[in-house]
Amino acid sequence: MGGDFGTRVVIPAAKKILSKYQDINLILVGDSYIINKQLARHNLASSKRLQVQHASQKVAMHESPVQALRTKKDSSMRVAINLVKSGGAHACVSAGNTGALLATASFVLKTLPGVDRPAIIRTLPTLIPDKNVRMLDLGANVDSSPHQLLQFAVMGRVLAEAVDNIQNPSVRLLNIGEEDIKGNELVKQAAMLFKDNDAIHYVGYIEGDKIYHGTADVIVCDGFVGNIALKVTEGTVNTVLQFVKQAFLQNWLSKVAGLLVKPIFSKIRKKIDPDYYNGASLIGLQGIVIKSHGGASANGFARAIEEAMHEVGKNVPSLIREQVAQLLKQTVE
Amino acid sequence: MGGDFGTRVVIPAAKKILSKYQDINLILVGDSYIINKQLARHNLASSKRLQVQHASQKVAMHESPVQALRTKKDSSMRVAINLVKSGGAHACVSAGNTGALLATASFVLKTLPGVDRPAIIRTLPTLIPDKNVRMLDLGANVDSSPHQLLQFAVMGRVLAEAVDNIQNPSVRLLNIGEEDIKGNELVKQAAMLFKDNDAIHYVGYIEGDKIYHGTADVIVCDGFVGNIALKVTEGTVNTVLQFVKQAFLQNWLSKVAGLLVKPIFSKIRKKIDPDYYNGASLIGLQGIVIKSHGGASANGFARAIEEAMHEVGKNVPSLIREQVAQLLKQTVE
């Protein structure tokens, strides 16, 4: 029910996924009246592979997480997460209110043993063809401790290894310089922890302008900084595209030129399309929860479902549980 | 002598400035042999309006600030800042090592009374035509206190008012959300200080994706976050332009299209050209020091000189001294 488009995006995405993968079952959670109406419109009917689970409430996009947790016990989001908890579903995918999703998922599923706090991680493109980077935390936490950053690094490593099939993925810490003396206290202390630890392949600092250079498989930062970095990226891409649009709309000659290069621009848009990389994981929980961007298209939402499928296939929570246990053992020794 | 191009950029920039403004005198500080050779090449000779001041040393771009401060007492950077201190020059403009410039300027000039630490501030473009935004701190400090952020806000306000001629400029705090409860401890505590203070016109939080929307005249943040935000912007612009280039170079048809739209792209490049907005101020010192980007062109370096001229014209340090004194008075009351 969440996101900017609700069922209008989720149902076409479900249709895509059901026809692309024969071995997946989906449960649509929300207002069954609305869902069934939309299903009929898309020539879909509930079946063994597509069930509808009614939920009488809905968390609004700007509702406070605490409010949602207290008063929306039958929200689509809550019911979907309950299904993960009870074993009725392997994963939950939602385009809803991020703060409420995080609070609800943390409350219902709890973090894995040894994990202090869940983190938000997603895949970003790089300049190197077919090479992506996973970055975390993107806003689940502020004022993280160096130990929490180490936990984030281990969780990022698990996703890069298990889901992206990268052997011994390289981990970098986001910083304002590459020399050892650069950075704030958090980053400097985290770097010392990272260097000493065999659970991750730490290769040093990375600056903000190199995030998209493809020199790291996993980039770790505090959620405040990660959220700013991600949103600055979005804002900058939109600003550049806006300037491009303004330039092409200036006069009839530039308008004609704009028409000519349209196919080239669709190619570029695809490269930087957030839909293509849609699906952030709320990682560190005893269950798989994927957050789709609120403005994602049906294709984007389908990507988020695929991310969930990959994480289910590799049983990411149990891999993280193992890796974090090793980490704790190492820290105690 | 600093930056990626040294005299090859500084001297053409000086030539531009001398011919554009009749009331300015420039002192070129550095290796007089190299400078005089370059002057001859550009048909310039030292005159009353263009002097050469010899400096026997040069700070390397990756030299540690402490090292530079201790062992490079006759560096071009140090001699230029000494000239500001002694009254031999109204301002220093350098494309050299940022850390060394900041350390040297702080050591020689000292901060203004009531200012704990200098900050780095610069002008950035926005989507609104002819509207820019000043953002600070961009990396002079890490782990700032809420009171330091308030000092940054006051300094940013002075520049926006005096140099950009904005009446009662609006100030925003960079944060990961717009609601009061969002953010880390630093930002939340700073917001409380900002709200209570008449020295600035505080209008609330701003998220990373809205920096370029033109809804603020001054954006304040800790230097760690500001540096990441600025570098992510640079990295994203370069990544998008790289994708554009790749797309236009794909085949002969797209190459022809690329040639056709070249003039349109130069217009776009101009909009996002860092040269056009070149010249970051090391603000809060008892003297004017402007940092040009190391890779700036002659036009870019000339812009940095113009920023220095504007700040000299308005006597920015004395305005900051007054505003900060009022701030202290208010805080004590």
Side-chain angles (χ1 to χ4, degrees):
Chain A
M1 304 304 290
D4 302 345
F5 311 108
T7 52
R8 278 182 296 149
V9 149
V10 175
I11 289 173
K15 191 173 180 177
K16 258 178 221 291
I17 292 290
L18 287 173
S19 70
K20 190 168 170 189
Y21 304 96
Q22 296 308 312
D23 56 346
I24 187 174
N25 303 319
L26 295 176
I27 307 168
L28 300 172
V29 185
D31 184 321
S32 59
Y33 175 76
I34 295 173
I35 294 173
N36 283 319
K37 219 168 62 178
Q38 283 281 340
L39 284 179
R41 192 171 292 169
H42 286 89
N43 291 320
L44 280 168
S46 55
S47 69
K48 213 183 143 190
R49 288 184 59 214
L50 181 67
Q51 292 168 51
V52 178
Q53 171 87 46
H54 182 67
S56 64
Q57 293 176 306
K58 189 181 143 177
V59 176
M61 287 305 270
H62 288 286
E63 206 166 333
S64 105
V66 177
Q67 177 87 355
L69 203 54
R70 276 199 203 136
T71 65
K72 298 283 176 78
K73 294 191 178 160
D74 198 40
S75 70
S76 50
M77 177 184 288
R78 179 70 171 265
V79 172
I81 293 170
N82 284 343
L83 279 171
V84 175
K85 171 82 176 174
S86 68
H90 286 100
C92 158
V93 183
S94 167
N97 180 324
T98 309
L101 187 69
L102 186 67
T104 307
S106 304
F107 178 77
V108 173
L109 299 174
K110 313 289 181 223
T111 54
L112 288 160
V115 175
D116 294 343
R117 296 267 311 144
I120 299 176
I121 182 167
R122 56 167 284 196
T123 299
L124 297 165
T126 80
L127 281 172
I128 300 173
D130 303 318
K131 176 150 182 57
N132 299 321
V133 57
R134 296 238 176 201
M135 185 158 146
L136 80 165
D137 171 34
L138 298 176
N141 308 280
V142 294
D143 298 319
S144 310
S145 69
H147 271 279
Q148 284 171 341
L149 293 196
L150 181 59
Q151 292 167 10
F152 296 167
V154 170
M155 297 196 285
R157 180 225 161 114
V158 168
L159 274 193
E161 211 157 27
V163 179
D164 307 335
N165 295 312
I166 298 165
Q167 275 205 320
N168 201 22
S170 60
V171 175
R172 287 186 185 272
L173 266 167
L174 187 60
N175 197 3
I176 61 170
E178 280 168 13
E179 304 87 10
D180 274 354
I181 53 149
K182 288 286 177 73
N184 57 15
E185 274 311 302
L186 171 64
V187 165
K188 284 190 213 169
Q189 286 184 30
M192 285 193 287
L193 284 180
F194 281 33
K195 272 179 196 160
D196 286 346
N197 211 293
D198 297 337
I200 49 165
H201 174 44
Y202 175 63
V203 294
Y205 293 139
I206 189 168
E207 291 188 70
D209 55 342
K210 310 226 166 62
I211 292 175
Y212 305 105
H213 282 203
T215 61
D217 298 312
V218 177
I219 297 175
V220 176
C221 55
D222 170 59
F224 188 90
V225 173
N227 187 277
I228 298 277
L230 188 69
K231 290 213 171 135
V232 167
T233 300
E234 288 173 9
T236 305
V237 168
N238 288 336
T239 303
V240 173
L241 293 181
Q242 202 61 35
F243 285 149
V244 170
K245 211 172 155 185
Q246 281 170 7
F248 277 107
L249 288 177
Q250 209 148 42
N251 54 46
W252 69 268
L253 205 66
S254 64
K255 277 182 198 163
V256 171
L259 285 177
L260 283 172
V261 295
K262 223 171 182 174
I264 294 169
F265 270 103
S266 357
K267 259 185 207 152
I268 297 162
R269 264 184 188 279
K270 211 172 161 181
K271 275 262 191 187
I272 51 175
D273 184 3
D275 267 355
Y276 189 77
Y277 296 92
N278 189 37
S281 311
L282 307 193
I283 204 170
L285 296 168
Q286 298 183 33
I288 295 165
V289 180
I290 307 295
K291 168 68 174 80
S292 163
H293 194 283
S297 70
N299 280 333
F301 199 88
R303 297 285 303 193
I305 299 174
E306 287 179 323
E307 173 70 29
M309 289 166 62
H310 296 319
E311 294 192 18
V312 169
K314 300 287 182 166
N315 199 351
V316 165
S318 93
L319 292 176
I320 291 178
R321 184 194 292 257
E322 280 167 31
Q323 292 290 325
V324 171
Q326 287 207 343
L327 184 72
L328 285 173
K329 228 171 96 190
Q330 216 184 96
T331 320
V332 172
E333 280 163 8
Chain B
M1 304 305 290
D4 302 344
F5 311 109
T7 51
R8 280 182 294 147
V9 148
V10 175
I11 288 172
K15 192 174 180 177
K16 257 178 221 289
I17 291 291
L18 286 173
S19 70
K20 191 169 171 188
Y21 304 95
Q22 297 308 312
D23 55 347
I24 188 174
N25 303 320
L26 295 176
I27 307 168
L28 300 172
V29 185
D31 184 322
S32 58
Y33 175 77
I34 295 173
I35 294 173
N36 283 320
K37 220 170 62 180
Q38 282 281 340
L39 283 180
R41 193 171 292 170
H42 286 90
N43 291 320
L44 280 169
S46 55
S47 70
K48 214 183 141 191
R49 289 184 59 214
L50 182 67
Q51 293 169 51
V52 177
Q53 170 87 47
H54 183 67
S56 64
Q57 292 176 306
K58 189 181 142 177
V59 176
M61 287 306 269
H62 288 285
E63 205 165 334
S64 104
V66 177
Q67 177 89 354
L69 202 55
R70 277 200 202 136
T71 65
K72 298 284 176 78
K73 293 192 180 161
D74 197 39
S75 70
S76 50
M77 179 185 286
R78 179 68 171 266
V79 172
I81 292 170
N82 284 343
L83 279 171
V84 174
K85 171 83 175 173
S86 68
H90 286 100
C92 159
V93 182
S94 167
N97 181 325
T98 309
L101 186 69
L102 186 67
T104 307
S106 303
F107 177 77
V108 173
L109 299 174
K110 314 290 181 222
T111 53
L112 288 160
V115 175
D116 295 341
R117 297 267 311 143
I120 300 176
I121 181 167
R122 56 167 285 197
T123 299
L124 298 166
T126 80
L127 281 172
I128 299 172
D130 304 318
K131 177 151 182 57
N132 300 322
V133 58
R134 296 237 176 202
M135 186 159 146
L136 80 165
D137 172 33
L138 298 176
N141 309 279
V142 294
D143 298 320
S144 310
S145 69
H147 271 279
Q148 285 170 342
L149 293 196
L150 181 60
Q151 293 167 12
F152 297 167
V154 170
M155 299 197 284
R157 181 226 161 112
V158 168
L159 275 192
E161 212 157 25
V163 179
D164 307 336
N165 295 312
I166 296 164
Q167 276 204 320
N168 201 20
S170 59
V171 175
R172 286 186 185 272
L173 266 166
L174 187 61
N175 198 3
I176 61 171
E178 280 167 15
E179 304 86 8
D180 274 353
I181 52 149
K182 288 286 176 74
N184 57 16
E185 274 311 302
L186 172 63
V187 164
K188 284 190 215 171
Q189 287 182 28
M192 285 193 287
L193 284 181
F194 281 33
K195 273 180 197 161
D196 285 347
N197 211 293
D198 297 338
I200 48 165
H201 175 43
Y202 176 63
V203 295
Y205 292 140
I206 189 167
E207 291 188 70
D209 54 343
K210 310 229 164 60
I211 292 176
Y212 306 105
H213 282 203
T215 61
D217 298 311
V218 177
I219 297 175
V220 176
C221 55
D222 170 60
F224 188 89
V225 174
N227 186 278
I228 298 277
L230 188 69
K231 291 212 171 136
V232 167
T233 300
E234 288 173 10
T236 305
V237 168
N238 288 336
T239 303
V240 173
L241 294 181
Q242 202 60 34
F243 284 149
V244 169
K245 210 170 157 187
Q246 282 170 8
F248 276 108
L249 289 177
Q250 209 150 40
N251 54 48
W252 69 267
L253 203 66
S254 63
K255 277 182 197 162
V256 171
L259 286 176
L260 284 173
V261 294
K262 220 168 184 175
I264 294 169
F265 269 103
S266 357
K267 258 185 208 153
I268 297 163
R269 262 184 189 281
K270 211 172 162 184
K271 275 261 189 188
I272 50 174
D273 184 4
D275 268 354
Y276 189 79
Y277 296 91
N278 190 38
S281 313
L282 307 194
I283 204 172
L285 296 168
Q286 298 183 34
I288 295 165
V289 180
I290 306 295
K291 168 71 175 76
S292 163
H293 194 281
S297 70
N299 280 332
F301 199 88
R303 296 286 302 192
I305 300 174
E306 288 178 323
E307 174 70 29
M309 290 167 61
H310 295 317
E311 294 191 19
V312 170
K314 300 287 182 167
N315 199 351
V316 164
S318 93
L319 291 176
I320 290 177
R321 185 193 293 258
E322 280 166 31
Q323 291 291 325
V324 170
Q326 287 206 344
L327 185 72
L328 285 173
K329 229 172 94 189
Q330 215 184 97
T331 319
V332 172
E333 280 163 8

